Amino acid sequence: MLQGKEYKAVFSDIDGTLLNTSHQIPEKTREKIMDMNCHGIPFVLVSARMPKGMRAIRDELGSRNPMICYSGALVVDGDEKPIYSVALKDGEAQEICKAIPEITPDVSVNVYSNDRWMAEDLKEYWVDQEMKITGVRAEEVSFQDEEVMKEVHKILCMGPADSITVLEKKLQERFPDIRIYKSKDTYLEIMSMKASKSDAVHMLEHVFGVTREEIIAFGDGHNDIDMIQYAGLGVAMGNASQEVKKAADYVTDINDREGLRQVLDQAFSL
């Protein structure tokens, strides 16, 4: 798999990839990545999360590398300042937010812009649960406020699995030019069709002075596929879906057995 290859940068998904099922970075994995950082090999976090939801993980790794957020819709530098942004077009976010409750009134609607997470009711079950999971507090706003909708990087819908399935189908029919996909049974992610993890990775190549052939990318979800296919070595986790595994050059062990570190140990014997 790695014979005769020299890799110079790593881009990794977070949930289900870097983190185990206890939502922690295994100690040996963390030590390996910190050792890579000391040797000038960047380890870049890539996630559907907002910057605030990634900061603590990057800090734990002792890194100041850029982060790819919202599945490629936003890239921030070491100081968390935006250096690349792909937002929904003007008017799209308002139209989508109006359509969602008409289709599925029981689904929670959340809007993300740069490092802001906004919802209309912070006491609503799904919003409250997400705040507890992420450790990030949402802002209570009105989606009628045009200022809220000026630069929307992502809309997240959370709700019962059956409702999310219905919503996905109806929104895809109504908005065919917008990226709409389930990140899990109860979560629906909505963003610009121009936003992708692979484009964000490509944008950062010049920052690190590497080529795509010198990049390793790790992931486990549907939104990781384009990044896995783009990288010189695309690695799917053992806990990934069959679709993701088929897109990868290599399938490693599951996240609970540190599949990511197993590959890093082979690629970087520091």
Side-chain angles (χ1 to χ4, degrees):
M1 175 189 66
L2 300 172
Q3 191 173 4
K5 297 280 187 178
E6 183 180 0
Y7 296 102
K8 296 180 180 178
V10 176
F11 291 79
S12 176
D13 176 54
I14 294 177
D15 300 287
T17 302
L18 173 64
L19 304 186
N20 58 25
T21 50
S22 299
H23 306 290
Q24 296 176 332
I25 304 172
E27 184 177 351
K28 289 183 178 179
T29 297
R30 179 178 56 80
E31 290 173 353
K32 179 67 180 183
I33 294 168
M34 292 180 75
D35 193 22
M36 288 167 54
N37 287 332
C38 289
H39 284 80
I41 301 164
F43 186 93
V44 180
L45 298 175
V46 186
S47 177
R49 297 185 185 203
M50 65 192 299
K52 281 179 188 172
M54 301 168 68
R55 182 184 302 145
I57 297 168
R58 187 179 67 170
D59 289 348
E60 188 178 346
L61 296 173
S63 165
R64 293 278 291 173
N65 288 322
M67 297 186 295
I68 296 174
C69 317
Y70 304 130
S71 298
L74 177 69
V75 181
V76 297
D77 65 13
D79 297 319
E80 295 181 33
K81 294 178 180 177
I83 55 175
Y84 177 80
S85 173
V86 182
L88 288 164
K89 293 177 184 176
D90 290 347
E92 285 180 337
Q94 292 98 319
E95 193 176 350
I96 292 166
C97 287
K98 183 180 178 183
I100 293 165
E102 294 172 358
I103 300 168
T104 47
D106 58 341
V107 165
S108 170
V109 185
N110 301 262
V111 170
Y112 294 82
S113 173
N114 289 295
D115 213 11
R116 299 177 68 195
W117 166 22
M118 295 165 283
E120 291 194 306
D121 181 6
L122 302 194
K123 295 178 183 177
E124 190 269 327
Y125 168 78
W126 292 95
V127 175
D128 181 62
Q129 178 180 253
E130 186 72 1
M131 287 194 292
K132 289 173 181 173
I133 291 171
T134 62
V136 176
R137 184 166 180 81
E139 299 175 41
E140 193 163 274
V141 301
S142 168
F143 292 156
Q144 304 303 313
D145 183 349
E146 290 185 5
E147 290 297 313
V148 168
M149 298 294 184
K150 270 196 169 177
E151 189 180 14
V152 175
H153 290 102
K154 183 176 83 166
I155 298 171
L156 172 65
C157 301
M158 299 180 284
D162 289 349
S163 296
I164 291 295
T165 297
V166 170
L167 183 62
E168 179 185 35
K169 183 175 184 295
K170 295 290 185 182
L171 288 181
Q172 286 175 342
E173 291 172 355
R174 186 163 169 180
F175 302 97
D177 297 326
I178 294 175
R179 190 182 305 280
I180 301 166
Y181 67 93
K182 282 192 279 189
S183 53
K184 58 183 182 180
D185 289 346
T186 53
Y187 283 35
L188 189 69
E189 314 262 354
I190 302 166
M191 61 193 67
S192 169
M193 193 67 80
K194 294 180 180 178
S196 72
K197 290 186 175 183
S198 58
D199 282 351
V201 170
H202 175 65
M203 192 278 298
L204 286 175
E205 286 171 17
H206 78 278
V207 173
F208 298 116
V210 300
T211 64
R212 63 184 292 187
E213 291 79 16
E214 296 170 325
I215 290 170
I216 302 177
F218 293 87
D220 73 306
H222 180 270
N223 64 339
D224 296 314
I225 290 176
D226 66 293
M227 177 175 71
I228 286 172
Q229 292 177 325
Y230 178 82
L233 178 65
V235 181
M237 302 302 294
N239 46 284
S241 68
Q242 285 303 121
E243 184 184 11
V244 178
K245 290 176 179 177
K246 286 179 182 177
D249 300 305
Y250 180 75
V251 178
T252 188
D253 209 339
I254 64 173
N255 59 331
D256 280 341
R257 288 198 291 264
E258 300 189 61
L260 181 145
R261 182 180 59 80
Q262 291 178 29
V263 175
L264 295 182
D265 282 342
Q266 292 182 63
F268 308 103
S269 53
L270 306 171

